[in-house]
Amino acid sequence: MPSDNAFARLSDFDAMREAMTQTRQYLHAHPELSHEEAETARYVADKLKAWGYEVAENVGGHGVVARMTVGEGSGSIAIRADMDALPITEQTGLPHASIVPGRMHACGHDGHTTILLGAAEYLASTRRFNGTVTLIFQPAEEAGARSGAQMMIDDGLFERFPFDVIYGLHNHPGAPVGKLLLRAGPMMAAADTARITIHGKGGHASRPHLTIDPIVVACHLVVTLQSVVSRFVDPTETAVVTVGTIHAGEAVNVIPEDARLAITIRSFEPKIRDGLQQRITAMTNAVAEGFGATAVIDYARGHPVVTNSEAETAFARTIAEELVGAENVGTCGLIPGSEDFSHYLEHKPGCFVRLGNGVDSATLHSDKYDFADESLHIGAALWARLAERYLQG
Ligand SMILES: [Zn+2]
Ligand SMILES: [Zn+2]
């Protein structure tokens, strides 16, 4: 192995920290929602082209893929950043706060984009790798069913820009800046939804015996669903079933025809995910039938589980320890949030890393949240060193 000096270190990014902070704060002030990231994509693509990358734009919507090959190496590593913001009105009062009411980088994708740009600039200027780096700037991570990852895959990502492994990161409020967290195997939840309509029989509130009251059915169903996790999921495993909305009725003296519920379901294992769908469907039909009502269930599978492969996680851990020291590399707990990076991991080995955003950081999707600029160079150095080490020799 070449000497350690042959690979990116934190100090190599000292001179770039100021410019990276400016980039991050510029992106923060100019957020674009999922599927609307035209200006962000253009900003990213212009920089990548200037640094000598071969750049493909409009991949799966506003996706940008930048590639650079050095030497004869046949290996290819992909690194992905997400670019979209959220429909939130920022309340931080910061000088670089969003200039657009109702739009905010409240998940730190401005930071993720800046980090990958920083790594891109470094790798293009040093070119100390032997093979191909594929940098994926993905739109619409927050878009739910029309996810940017799936759209880029559907647009031929794997065929047009072949790569062997894929890495991504997310900032992690609650963990100190400078800390990196990894986890082999399942790390972030599958996120599914069930939209349920209970069809009863409406009528006069004073004559319930002539009706089938969907409100009573819905209430029983809400209570029944509380037993799905507690009675059907192995206590050493975990899952979440939350009734997020319940709507029925307009008038105090009317029993309505219908009641509607929307349910969020999170799980970390395919077997449990399947079991939850089966159990929720069966319970809903049984509760409705018991009252003489009927249920229509629209069960939609969202992002799969983020499952990090063993070897790629071990490799990322090694690189992280080389960079920030073993004392600053931890093991991540299960995260009940979901992430569309999971779509890539269904096809390619890889690892999703969590980057400390500060113990006092506001939570993700909060209107007080801000990305920690002090961690930009850590993320950029991680990507640069990971690419150099993966494509060494
Ligand atoms: Zn988010
Ligand atoms: Zn996010």
Side-chain angles (χ1 to χ4, degrees):
M1 178 172 143
S3 84
D4 187 62
N5 291 344
F7 304 113
R9 294 164 296 174
L10 287 185
S11 57
D12 292 328
F13 287 80
D14 284 349
M16 290 173 61
R17 290 182 68 172
E18 179 69 34
M20 288 177 72
T21 297
Q22 281 171 14
T23 295
R24 206 286 298 181
Q25 295 186 355
Y26 173 81
L27 291 173
H28 188 88
H30 300 86
E32 293 177 297
L33 297 178
S34 304
H35 303 298
E36 296 176 5
E37 309 90 339
E39 293 305 320
T40 306
R42 195 190 331 263
Y43 178 88
V44 164
D46 286 349
K47 284 185 182 290
L48 293 163
K49 287 177 201 166
W51 296 328
Y53 284 88
E54 192 182 309
V55 178
E57 294 170 81
N58 304 312
V59 181
H62 294 298
V64 176
V65 180
R67 306 195 97 196
M68 182 175 286
T69 300
V70 172
E72 303 295 318
S74 60
S76 177
I77 182 173
I79 306 171
R80 168 274 210 174
D82 42 12
M83 301 190 289
D84 55 329
L86 286 155
I88 293 172
T89 296
E90 181 160 355
Q91 303 294 344
T92 62
L94 290 165
H96 59 271
S98 170
I99 62 167
V100 193
R103 290 187 212 164
M104 177 186 174
H105 268 296
C107 205
H109 299 184
D110 48 347
H112 307 163
T113 297
T114 304
I115 283 171
L116 191 52
L117 283 173
E121 183 175 8
Y122 176 89
L123 288 166
S125 67
T126 52
R127 304 201 182 203
R128 291 188 301 197
F129 58 93
N130 181 28
T132 302
V133 291
T134 300
L135 308 178
I136 300 168
F137 292 86
Q138 182 209 299
E141 194 285 324
E142 304 280 7
R146 282 182 69 218
S147 118
Q150 191 60 58
M151 287 176 69
M152 291 187 83
I153 292 168
D154 292 345
D155 201 10
L157 180 74
F158 299 135
E159 298 77 22
R160 293 165 64 190
F161 316 99
F163 55 82
D164 309 317
V165 294
I166 184 162
Y167 288 87
L169 67 70
H170 207 289
N171 73 94
H172 194 94
V177 169
K179 192 122 189 162
L180 291 160
L181 302 173
L182 297 108
R183 184 186 187 90
M187 181 171 81
M188 296 181 68
D192 301 333
T193 56
R195 293 181 187 280
I196 296 172
T197 305
I198 306 289
H199 292 294
K201 183 175 173 218
H204 201 290
S206 69
R207 294 183 174 79
H209 61 294
L210 301 177
T211 74
I212 299 169
D213 187 345
I215 292 180
V216 174
V217 181
C219 291
H220 275 269
L221 181 57
V222 171
V223 174
T224 302
L225 289 172
Q226 305 310 307
S227 66
V228 173
V229 174
S230 73
R231 299 296 87 180
F232 293 97
V233 175
D234 181 335
T236 65
E237 304 278 358
T238 190
V240 180
V241 176
T242 293
V243 179
T245 72
I246 173 165
H247 294 290
E250 300 285 345
V252 70
N253 56 352
V254 177
I255 290 171
E257 285 284 325
D258 303 316
R260 290 183 171 76
L261 303 90
I263 303 172
T264 281
I265 304 117
R266 302 276 165 125
S267 57
F268 294 92
E269 293 285 347
K271 178 169 54 70
I272 290 174
R273 190 183 195 194
D274 294 343
L276 289 171
Q277 179 167 1
Q278 188 193 26
R279 185 56 50 189
I280 288 166
T281 302
M283 278 179 158
T284 302
N285 286 324
V287 169
E289 195 194 338
F291 286 90
T294 56
V296 176
I297 307 166
D298 177 11
Y299 204 104
R301 293 209 161 203
H303 304 320
V305 178
V306 172
T307 304
N308 296 317
S309 55
E310 296 283 343
E312 284 65 32
T313 305
F315 182 65
R317 184 178 288 277
T318 300
I319 304 306
E321 289 178 356
E322 290 171 1
L323 206 59
V324 297
E327 68 278 14
N328 290 313
V329 181
T331 296
C332 192
L334 289 174
I335 299 170
S338 73
E339 163 66 53
D340 82 346
F341 190 77
S342 53
H343 292 283
Y344 304 113
L345 293 175
E346 289 216 307
H347 302 273
K348 299 282 179 187
C351 178
F352 197 59
V353 180
R354 305 287 295 201
L355 174 70
N357 200 59
V359 286
D360 297 326
S361 167
T363 57
L364 300 172
H365 295 203
S366 152
D367 59 11
K368 302 272 189 344
Y369 169 87
D370 194 33
F371 186 90
D373 289 317
E374 317 84 77
S375 70
L376 289 169
H377 71 297
I378 300 168
L382 176 72
W383 288 156
R385 191 177 180 100
L386 193 76
E388 289 173 342
R389 290 271 273 107
Y390 185 80
L391 300 173
Q392 74 186 72

